[in-house]
Amino acid sequence: MPEKIQIKNDKLIVPDNPIIPFIEGDGIGPDIWAASQRVIDAAVKHAYQGSKKIEWLEVLCGEKSFKDSGEWLPEATLETLRSHLVGIKGPLTTPIGGGIRSLNVALRKELDLYACVRPVRWYNGTPAAILDPNRVDFVLFRENTEDVYAGIEFENGSDESKKIIELMEEFGQAKKIRFPESSSFGLKPISKEGSIRLFDAALNYALENNRQSVTIVHKGNIMKFTEGYFKKWTYAHAEEHYSDRVFTWAQYDRIQEEKGTEAANSAQDKAVKEGKIIIKDVIADAFLQQILLRPDEYDVIATMNLNGDYISDSAAAAVGGIGIAPGANINYISGHAIFEATHGTAPKYAGQDKVNPSSVILSAVMMLNYMGWKEAADLIESGLEKAIFNKKVTYDFHRLMDNATLLKCSEFGDEIISKF
């Protein structure tokens, strides 16, 4: 009997026959979802010999929904996602006109999916942008609900912008606005609560998965009271609540100031030997360099919304591109999670059975791991890597490989299944 996934005492309760809502997606969505669903079902069947099975429930969002009801994001869809906790989706188009700026952002806000989780690793054989992509293996936790994505903007020349200029004059800050009459304005809210719950998710992931470090990525040298406080709050939280399990660079700095560099180095070495997680920080622009030059120095990343957007796509490009990048949006407190393709809808390829379905397939790997169905997740990940290593790939990789076999989207799904 199909049942909903539930959460009790902060633990996800997953039945053997869970009902999982899915959003097919726009543009290439139907093609990549069809291939992905077949791979997921085959992996679950193979891993559990029929004792487990997913009951798929389609919910409407995006162009398909708009054509059906005139609504881009129906309340019925939100209610189903709320009540079933876990869902998966293809890419969605951005509505033209007023109302909803981004369906992806709207889903994250409505369900308070505060952590965008993006694992970045190289699959053997994948054409990559850096010389040694095998060094890349980190998981990015991007805060999903604050920062400039709050969508608080005021158009130049509007009454609101004029009031902001007046307020800046009152605060003695007006001279910092170079061209006030033509300036538009945006607000960047960063809260202590939002920062800490995101950092908690990243640190707990590191603890549960035997990772060695968590890196706070910020631009606090310039934005001292927003991104600077993200760093300040998260360091303080780590030391207050995880003191026996972490060593922070803030501690290192204090020891260095009091006792010298040798004592600070000794304290950090001792923490590493004891298996403590090192909490460190890097300025955002430097980090974008270092994930290309020294990616093996990074393990779990915690950052804010805009930084995370830049970093996730840049990092994905280093190991094969966004077409093979999975993603999840999770509320670790309520249990709600939506796993998703991280690329766009590519409408010019819609219906051609052409594009790489790996982003959705690997997002399903994340979903299965979240559900505790690791055996099925491992089958898919292994099968996908074998297909790429054997050079049986879709057009995006085929054009970058020598002597590769070109597969359609659906055929690539079949190739993964054949490796189980």
Side-chain angles (χ1 to χ4, degrees):
M1 176 70 69
E3 299 176 68
K4 296 178 183 179
I5 295 174
Q6 300 180 57
I7 189 166
K8 293 181 180 178
N9 300 320
D10 299 324
K11 184 178 180 181
L12 212 63
I13 308 299
V14 181
D16 289 338
N17 193 191
I19 304 168
I20 297 184
F22 73 93
I23 297 169
E24 189 176 53
D26 300 326
I28 57 173
D31 285 349
I32 61 175
W33 173 250
S36 301
Q37 183 179 346
R38 199 164 62 254
V39 169
I40 301 164
D41 286 342
V44 170
K45 183 177 181 180
H46 189 91
Y48 306 113
Q49 300 298 306
S51 64
K52 296 179 186 289
K53 185 178 183 295
I54 293 173
E55 185 75 22
W56 297 106
L57 173 63
E58 183 174 12
V59 292
L60 298 183
C61 184
E63 289 180 347
K64 192 172 184 178
S65 173
F66 189 75
K67 290 175 182 177
D68 178 74
S69 66
E71 294 184 86
W72 290 98
L73 179 54
E75 182 58 38
T77 293
L78 287 171
E79 185 50 44
T80 299
L81 292 168
R82 286 190 190 102
S83 63
H84 289 73
L85 292 185
V86 174
I88 188 167
K89 60 178 278 296
L92 294 172
T93 192
T94 299
I96 297 173
I100 298 175
R101 290 191 179 196
S102 164
L103 291 168
N104 294 321
V105 172
L107 283 166
R108 294 166 195 167
K109 286 187 176 181
E110 289 292 335
L111 299 170
D112 196 23
L113 305 174
Y114 62 82
C116 177
V117 185
R118 295 278 294 271
V120 183
R121 57 154 292 197
W122 181 67
Y123 291 95
N124 196 1
T126 306
I130 61 176
L131 291 176
D132 187 7
N134 195 48
R135 294 181 299 154
V136 181
D137 184 9
F138 61 80
V139 182
L140 174 72
F141 281 75
R142 165 192 172 191
E143 203 289 320
N144 234 357
T145 64
E146 299 189 322
D147 205 347
V148 296
Y149 284 78
I152 308 171
E153 287 192 295
F154 304 101
E155 188 177 5
N156 62 301
S158 66
D159 290 341
E160 293 87 352
S161 286
K162 291 174 183 176
K163 288 179 181 178
I164 289 173
I165 293 169
E166 291 173 4
L167 190 62
M168 293 301 100
E169 289 173 348
E170 183 181 330
F171 290 161
Q173 301 290 316
K175 289 184 179 180
K176 293 183 178 180
I177 306 171
R178 181 68 65 190
F179 303 106
E181 295 306 317
S182 64
S183 291
S184 295
F185 297 92
L187 293 182
K188 178 187 177 76
I190 302 289
S191 70
K192 182 177 182 179
E193 293 85 351
S195 300
I196 286 174
R197 68 178 184 173
L198 182 279
F199 178 78
D200 256 341
L203 180 51
N204 283 315
Y205 178 91
L207 290 166
E208 291 166 8
N209 291 275
N210 299 313
R211 297 280 184 157
Q212 296 179 340
S213 68
V214 176
T215 303
I216 303 160
V217 179
H218 63 95
K219 192 66 177 171
N221 56 329
I222 302 299
M223 292 171 275
K224 299 183 185 301
F225 302 133
T226 50
E227 303 214 4
Y229 266 68
F230 180 87
K231 169 190 168 184
K232 177 180 177 180
W233 286 324
T234 50
Y235 265 143
H237 181 74
E239 292 182 18
E240 181 179 354
H241 296 280
Y242 298 89
S243 59
D244 59 333
R245 307 183 73 179
V246 306
F247 181 85
T248 74
W249 277 10
Q251 288 174 275
Y252 180 98
D253 289 344
R254 291 195 297 270
I255 295 170
Q256 185 181 45
E257 186 176 340
E258 294 172 8
K259 300 179 180 179
T261 300
E262 186 175 342
N265 287 337
S266 178
Q268 181 164 299
D269 290 343
K270 181 174 181 290
V272 171
K273 289 177 182 178
E274 292 173 348
K276 290 184 177 182
I277 290 178
I278 304 301
I279 311 296
K280 53 188 178 179
D281 73 277
V282 180
I283 300 296
D285 46 341
F287 182 75
L288 284 167
Q289 270 196 92
Q290 291 175 18
I291 57 174
L292 300 178
L293 299 174
R294 308 201 306 267
D296 46 350
E297 294 182 10
Y298 300 100
D299 213 348
V300 177
I301 314 303
T303 192
M304 287 144 291
N305 213 332
L306 185 60
N307 291 336
D309 199 0
Y310 298 149
I311 291 165
S312 57
D313 285 8
S314 175
V319 294
I322 199 169
I324 196 171
N329 301 286
I330 303 174
N331 184 317
Y332 287 94
I333 300 165
S334 70
H336 288 96
I338 295 179
F339 300 82
E340 65 177 359
T342 57
H343 54 70
T345 58
K348 70 177 181 178
Y349 295 127
Q352 296 182 29
D353 193 20
K354 181 176 182 176
V355 299
N356 191 338
S358 294
S359 182
V360 175
I361 290 172
L362 290 172
S363 296
V365 168
M366 296 181 71
M367 181 185 76
L368 292 167
N369 278 320
Y370 184 71
M371 292 162 54
W373 291 15
K374 187 177 186 301
E375 298 83 1
D378 289 348
L379 272 178
I380 296 173
E381 197 163 33
S382 174
L384 183 142
E385 186 163 34
K386 288 174 183 175
I388 295 172
F389 182 75
N390 291 333
K391 297 187 176 183
K392 295 184 176 181
V393 293
T394 48
Y395 85 99
D396 53 329
F397 288 168
H398 179 265
R399 61 189 175 183
L400 301 174
M401 291 177 167
D402 294 326
N403 303 315
T405 301
L406 176 62
L407 300 180
K408 296 178 180 179
C409 173
S410 56
E411 291 171 338
F412 184 70
D414 293 337
E415 182 65 22
I416 294 172
I417 293 169
S418 75
K419 303 304 179 189
F420 292 167

